[in-house]
Amino acid sequence: MVRSVSLDITVRYYTAQALFDLAYGDDTAFLRSFHKEVNACDVRVSPWGADNKRTVAFTTPVDAPAFIKRLVGKDVMAVEEAQLREALPGGGWRLTSRPVPDMPGGARFVTEAVLTFTDAAGGCCQVAAAVTCSASGPYGLAGTIEAFMADSAGNSLKEFLDFLLKFAQAPAAAAPAAASPAPEAAAVAAGALPAAPAPAAESAEHFYDAAELPLPPLPAVPAVPAVVPSGDGLRFEDAALLYLRYMCRTGDQTVGLLQALELHVRSLQEKVAALQAAEEDRRRQRRWLPEIPDTVSTRQAVLGAALLASGAAAGALLFARRQQAAGRGA
């Protein structure tokens, strides 16, 4: 399942051409500054070819779960990024980036980033970025890796766009953009538009930017070891096999727990059935007894039985006396 992440920013005071030249032009100062600050590494950038392609090589730390680190085999991974630039018909640029990690089976993990630079209202540049991630591998492993890749790609894309915005607004980077003439200024210089009248000398005012306050120093970035000995010889197939064994062992434990739970439930059902059968037998044995309402107390039941007995005795005595009287009359 392919996963995607999309972000966009707006950079003021830059045209699409100027911002694209700043980020991906022949001057690689932006890419070098970005990788030095984010990945704490140097970067090698090849010049643009006639086919509008070039490669960027750098290293990046692997911040991933333990089983993915075993899959990669190292904590610092080399990456070779292939870049392709395309000029848009309506103006602007599109850059396609495909980084490939230097690891066994690295081609199975595909990440593609597409950044589009277009002019926006107010002399701004709109940058729309989208990253898609996909991975191939055993069932149950590819989805986990794709989720990690999408999360890492989203964080990296946000870091890249934030750094681009900060780098573009820096005074050193803003100077070339300010030096490039606006379309109206170029038209005036070419004579197509009349020049604006010069203001009077006595009313001329000049404004200057205030000196920027010094920023606090950035915290030192700890050096990342270039080589980690553990797990260097682990292949992709071995890592996948270890993960599948872990899943199978966990599945066997789950099946065992479910079977024990089934036996326990079956035992409870048998006990409930035995109690129901005993209660039914008890009811059958007591069917000849008169039913007494639950609301009658023991004392009331005894009094009622005594009244019934005395009534029966009085009836029997009366019947005997009538029989004696009938015998005398005869």
Side-chain angles (χ1 to χ4, degrees):
M1 178 181 178
V2 179
R3 301 174 185 254
S4 60
V5 181
S6 300
L7 292 173
D8 61 273
I9 60 170
T10 301
V11 183
R12 298 184 300 172
Y13 314 125
Y14 272 86
T15 63
Q17 181 67 52
L19 189 61
F20 184 82
D21 290 340
L22 177 68
Y24 295 106
D26 295 331
D27 185 5
T28 60
F30 167 75
L31 288 179
R32 296 182 185 279
S33 300
F34 171 74
H35 285 285
K36 189 172 185 61
E37 179 171 330
V38 175
N39 297 324
C41 71
D42 295 329
V43 60
R44 299 192 308 274
V45 184
S46 66
W48 287 106
D51 54 355
N52 287 326
K53 295 181 180 180
R54 74 176 183 184
T55 58
V56 179
F58 59 93
T59 58
T60 179
V62 180
D63 185 12
F67 81 94
I68 294 183
K69 282 189 176 182
R70 288 185 61 85
L71 180 65
V72 174
K74 55 187 72 175
D75 288 342
V76 178
M77 180 173 55
V79 179
E80 185 169 328
E81 177 185 358
Q83 295 181 351
L84 170 66
R85 64 180 180 181
E86 301 173 89
L88 300 178
W93 287 87
R94 177 170 55 236
L95 183 119
T96 303
S97 168
R98 295 185 181 90
V100 178
D102 183 13
M103 56 172 287
R108 301 183 184 183
F109 311 105
V110 180
T111 301
E112 180 177 284
V114 179
L115 290 86
T116 305
F117 297 74
T118 55
D119 292 321
C124 302
C125 176
Q126 182 79 19
V127 182
V131 180
T132 57
C133 305
S134 63
S136 60
Y139 177 78
L141 182 62
T144 304
I145 297 179
E146 284 179 352
F148 166 73
M149 291 173 61
D151 184 63
S152 299
N155 295 334
S156 299
L157 184 60
K158 186 178 185 306
E159 286 182 344
F160 180 83
L161 294 179
D162 291 344
F163 190 87
L164 176 61
L165 185 61
K166 182 178 68 173
F167 192 86
Q169 301 303 328
S180 59
E184 293 81 0
V188 170
L193 295 177
E202 60 273 13
S203 61
E205 296 182 359
H206 300 278
F207 297 93
Y208 300 93
D209 293 335
E212 293 190 355
L213 296 176
L215 297 177
L218 294 175
V221 179
V224 181
V227 178
V228 178
S230 61
D232 287 341
L234 190 64
R235 299 179 304 167
F236 174 82
E237 291 79 8
D238 297 335
L241 184 59
L242 289 174
Y243 182 79
L244 290 177
R245 287 178 179 173
Y246 168 78
M247 294 295 294
C248 292
R249 184 169 64 252
T250 307
D252 293 339
Q253 293 175 356
T254 304
V255 170
L257 291 175
L258 291 177
Q259 290 176 348
L261 181 61
E262 182 182 3
L263 294 176
H264 186 63
V265 171
R266 188 179 303 172
S267 175
L268 291 177
Q269 290 176 346
E270 292 174 356
K271 291 180 180 178
V272 170
L275 291 175
Q276 290 177 347
E279 182 66 21
E280 185 66 23
D281 293 338
R282 193 178 298 110
R283 288 180 180 179
R284 288 176 183 175
Q285 295 174 3
R286 296 181 57 184
R287 281 181 181 175
W288 60 273
L289 296 175
E291 294 184 0
I292 301 177
D294 296 337
T295 57
V296 178
S297 64
T298 305
R299 183 177 181 181
Q300 291 175 347
V302 172
L303 291 175
L307 290 175
L308 290 175
S310 61
L317 180 60
L318 182 61
F319 178 76
R321 287 180 179 179
R322 286 182 179 179
Q323 290 292 336
Q324 291 177 2
R328 294 174 183 176

